Amino acid sequence: MKPTITAFECSPDGGKGLARDTRVRWALEEVGQPYDVRLVSFAAMKEDPHLALHPFGQIPTYEEDGIAIFETGAIVLHIAETRAGLLPGDAGARARAITWIFAALNTIEPPILDLTVARIVEGNRPWATARLPLVLDRIRTRLAQLSVRLGGAEWLDGAFSAGDLLMVSVLLRLRMSGLLDEYPNLAAYVAHGEARPAYRRAFEAQLAINAPAP
Amino acid sequence: MKPTITAFECSPDGGKGLARDTRVRWALEEVGQPYDVRLVSFAAMKEDPHLALHPFGQIPTYEEDGIAIFETGAIVLHIAETRAGLLPGDAGARARAITWIFAALNTIEPPILDLTVARIVEGNRPWATARLPLVLDRIRTRLAQLSVRLGGAEWLDGAFSAGDLLMVSVLLRLRMSGLLDEYPNLAAYVAHGEARPAYRRAFEAQLAINAPAP
């Protein structure tokens, strides 16, 4: 049975690939696993059938014989654990790849998401302009550390892994901000991730839903 | 060989158990794995030998023959994968337990950490008082959803798992705020986690370093 994921019926980003289903699509494309997509409206996301799958009323979810899970990190890890291509076989390298999954989602993404809070959610508050530089500097602290660790390497730890998939996905949120360009090796790393055929297929699949050709 | 973890030489919380090594100690206690601790000063955390282990200059780290990792989530998952007691054997239940690890760290903890930013990091900024209610309401949104999902259950998905260990650890950050008391089932859930003998041992071990008896 093919797995089924959920995605926005109409993504808030209009198809820029920032909705989290893109990360799951990318993982499925990397391992060559076909999948079905069930689109969910904003209203349906807050109703019982979807809340039974996802208690926080978000997308994506993932269903497959006997498995029903949420949280993008858990879904990508599940795909990586059950199909070849996203985790190395060596125990030490595998543990490091999983470390980068958590580093992407827990260390790098939170200050990046705070930029959306600062600019959009609190964008019309009286403190919006004065607070923004603080938020940007917290992002720069993490990007500088990541840039040092990556150095001139192609991927974070040898071969491409689920850790890179999530780190590139998280950094892609910064494209519009210009912040990524302050760290040329990180910009190159993200471009390298985006160039992967599996990423292109995932991006095109979400774009076809969110910005259909006229 | 016993694993070695790192912890603060002097924890900013003075031994309240909120430093992230407590989470790793708790996991090791649950599975009955003895461990060594290497204490790191704030200065040493930013120097090369520690940065080689942890590129973001934090604690905890985890080392054991051939394995050297960071990120609390990755460390707890590694312990849970390599020892019995923190993940169920059934594939569906195992995937759900891992989902709760990610939900604790990626969905519940970020708005809670923002409370520290609002109260401490930006506590003397002109917007501190006006912004605080917004931050508290974002936490309440998540707590309300988690409270509905937990209902009257003892743990999030049947037996205690690494997902509960991290969820309880994350919610413990709210004790001082009084927010937890707005959701009696979550307060009871946290108390239930704290009552586990493995948690008590982990708490006492970090307290012995951070608040030695006079």
Side-chain angles (χ1 to χ4, degrees):
Chain A
M1 192 183 88
K2 277 193 285 187
T4 298
I5 67 168
T6 49
F8 288 122
E9 190 177 71
C10 180
S11 175
D13 78 345
K16 291 195 185 69
L18 300 181
R20 288 182 175 77
D21 61 287
T22 305
R23 303 175 183 189
V24 173
R25 292 173 187 271
W26 185 6
L28 289 163
E29 292 288 352
E30 289 283 352
V31 301
Q33 172 64 56
Y35 61 98
D36 289 322
V37 182
R38 189 171 65 248
L39 301 179
V40 191
S41 68
F42 291 114
M45 283 168 65
K46 308 301 175 193
E47 289 165 3
D48 283 347
H50 189 73
L51 290 173
L53 263 175
H54 197 314
F56 304 106
Q58 300 177 315
I59 61 96
T61 59
Y62 179 98
E63 294 161 273
E64 178 185 21
D65 354 66
I67 307 278
I69 55 177
F70 59 100
E71 287 288 338
T72 308
I75 296 170
V76 169
L77 180 59
H78 175 78
I79 294 165
E81 281 185 329
T82 52
R83 281 88 171 172
L86 285 172
L87 284 178
D90 170 74
R94 183 180 182 281
R96 291 193 301 276
I98 292 174
T99 295
W100 285 112
I101 292 177
F102 282 95
L105 299 174
N106 289 327
T107 296
I108 303 294
E109 191 162 35
I112 293 177
L113 290 175
D114 199 24
L115 189 58
T116 306
V117 171
R119 283 198 168 141
I120 313 286
V121 183
E122 300 179 6
N124 63 352
R125 299 283 172 169
W127 57 78
T129 307
R131 190 170 175 264
L132 190 58
L134 279 66
V135 174
L136 292 171
D137 278 348
R138 285 197 282 264
I139 299 174
R140 285 191 181 98
T141 298
R142 292 300 178 219
L143 294 185
Q145 292 166 320
L146 184 65
S147 175
V148 166
R149 171 53 68 104
L150 180 65
E154 190 174 16
W155 305 114
L156 285 165
D157 194 273
F160 177 82
S161 79
D164 294 297
L165 187 155
L166 285 166
M167 190 64 83
V168 168
S169 298
V170 162
L171 294 176
L172 270 169
R173 287 192 182 277
L174 290 176
R175 153 122 351 115
M176 305 296 230
S177 72
L179 271 180
L180 214 48
D181 302 317
E182 298 177 18
Y183 306 89
N185 67 333
L186 296 184
Y189 170 69
V190 169
H192 202 45
E194 284 182 292
R196 291 180 72 87
Y199 177 81
R200 297 312 315 168
R201 290 194 295 274
F203 183 88
E204 295 300 334
Q206 64 80 37
L207 186 66
I209 293 167
N210 291 301
Chain B
M1 193 182 86
K2 278 193 286 187
T4 298
I5 67 169
T6 50
F8 289 123
E9 190 177 70
C10 179
S11 175
D13 78 345
K16 291 195 185 70
L18 300 181
R20 288 182 175 78
D21 60 288
T22 305
R23 304 175 182 189
V24 173
R25 292 173 187 271
W26 185 5
L28 289 163
E29 292 287 353
E30 288 284 351
V31 301
Q33 172 65 56
Y35 60 98
D36 289 322
V37 181
R38 189 170 66 248
L39 301 179
V40 191
S41 68
F42 291 114
M45 282 169 64
K46 309 301 175 194
E47 290 165 2
D48 284 347
H50 189 73
L51 290 173
L53 263 176
H54 198 315
F56 305 106
Q58 299 176 316
I59 60 98
T61 58
Y62 179 98
E63 295 160 273
E64 178 185 20
D65 359 63
I67 308 278
I69 56 178
F70 59 100
E71 287 289 336
T72 308
I75 296 170
V76 170
L77 180 59
H78 176 77
I79 294 166
E81 282 185 328
T82 52
R83 280 90 171 171
L86 285 171
L87 284 178
D90 171 74
R94 183 181 182 280
R96 291 194 301 277
I98 292 173
T99 295
W100 285 112
I101 292 177
F102 282 95
L105 299 174
N106 290 327
T107 296
I108 303 295
E109 191 163 36
I112 293 177
L113 289 175
D114 199 24
L115 187 58
T116 306
V117 172
R119 284 199 168 140
I120 313 285
V121 183
E122 300 179 7
N124 62 350
R125 299 284 173 171
W127 57 79
T129 307
R131 189 170 176 265
L132 189 60
L134 279 65
V135 174
L136 291 171
D137 278 348
R138 286 196 282 264
I139 299 174
R140 285 190 182 98
T141 298
R142 293 300 178 219
L143 294 185
Q145 292 167 320
L146 184 65
S147 175
V148 167
R149 171 53 68 105
L150 180 65
E154 189 173 16
W155 305 114
L156 285 165
D157 193 272
F160 177 83
S161 79
D164 294 296
L165 186 155
L166 285 166
M167 190 64 82
V168 168
S169 299
V170 162
L171 294 175
L172 271 169
R173 287 192 182 277
L174 289 176
R175 154 122 350 116
M176 304 296 230
S177 72
L179 272 179
L180 215 46
D181 302 317
E182 298 178 17
Y183 306 88
N185 67 334
L186 296 184
Y189 169 70
V190 169
H192 202 46
E194 284 182 291
R196 293 178 72 86
Y199 177 80
R200 298 311 315 167
R201 291 193 296 273
F203 182 87
E204 295 301 333
Q206 65 79 36
L207 186 66
I209 292 167
N210 290 301

